[in-house]
Amino acid sequence: MSHSGKLSIEIGVHATAANWFNLLATQLHHVQNLTDAVHETKLHHGEDWHHNESIKQWTSTIADGKATKYHESIESTDEDNKTITYKIFGEDFEHKFKVFKLIFQAIDKDEGGGVIKWIIEYETKSEEFDPPFGFLEFLYKGSRDVDANLIKE
């Protein structure tokens, strides 16, 4: 038997929703320069970083200080709602998860800055695997680093 569910976090940020969405929709390769949590990213398959057919390979520090390798592809992008859905797979994820989707959304606040939402939709392969709380923490810490760098630009 497996576990499935959703984990989510909303993070208040200083940069605008447009800045966040632009970074993740058109400059994703730049994220590794904005946070220490991402060690390396490279285009694994495809010619364009932001095409749905492209697969990116990431090496990141997720939970226990250990480097984790995984692949990511974009399932959908909704520019009007500043939402991007990613599929996470491969390497260190395949033995634990049947499904691992990551949904990003950026929302402006009336008083300036914004809120970014991260939602993880997952299904584990068996009960022995815990929900991906470590990945949620990784998203939180990485988002704080990225936001601090986005407001400098």
Side-chain angles (χ1 to χ4, degrees):
M1 185 158 192
S2 63
H3 294 288
S4 62
K6 289 183 183 184
L7 300 175
S8 65
I9 190 167
E10 292 185 13
I11 305 166
V13 293
H14 295 96
T16 66
N19 286 37
W20 271 95
F21 184 78
N22 183 55
L23 174 69
L24 296 183
T26 67
Q27 300 173 6
L28 189 59
H29 59 284
H30 192 54
V31 168
Q32 70 184 354
N33 301 320
L34 303 177
T35 177
D36 292 336
V38 176
H39 305 293
E40 177 185 40
T41 183
K42 61 184 176 182
L43 193 57
H44 181 69
H45 174 77
E47 296 180 20
D48 178 2
W49 272 85
H50 304 96
H51 191 274
N52 289 16
E53 305 289 319
S54 297
I55 297 172
K56 281 73 71 185
Q57 179 177 311
W58 296 82
T59 304
S60 304
T61 302
I62 302 294
D64 53 11
K66 181 174 97 174
T68 302
K69 292 183 179 187
Y70 55 97
H71 291 91
E72 165 264 307
S73 64
I74 297 171
E75 284 194 350
S76 64
T77 302
D78 180 346
E79 194 169 336
D80 292 337
N81 292 310
K82 294 182 178 51
T83 302
I84 305 170
T85 302
Y86 303 94
K87 178 181 175 185
I88 307 294
F89 58 99
E91 310 267 336
D92 294 331
F93 278 76
E94 285 182 348
H95 72 282
K96 292 182 184 180
F97 299 100
K98 292 180 188 178
V99 174
F100 200 101
K101 285 188 182 181
L102 182 59
I103 302 164
F104 164 82
Q105 183 177 23
I107 303 162
D108 280 318
K109 291 194 301 191
D110 291 337
E111 62 275 3
V115 172
I116 57 170
K117 291 182 183 182
W118 290 105
I119 300 168
I120 300 171
E121 295 179 354
Y122 68 93
E123 181 180 353
T124 62
K125 288 195 170 184
S126 74
E127 290 180 355
E128 73 181 271
F129 299 114
D130 294 328
F133 294 114
F135 201 88
L136 196 64
E137 182 179 349
F138 158 74
L139 292 170
Y140 173 77
K141 288 179 178 179
S143 296
R144 303 306 282 168
D145 292 346
V146 169
D147 191 52
N149 281 293
L150 279 176
I151 59 175
K152 287 180 187 176
E153 294 179 353

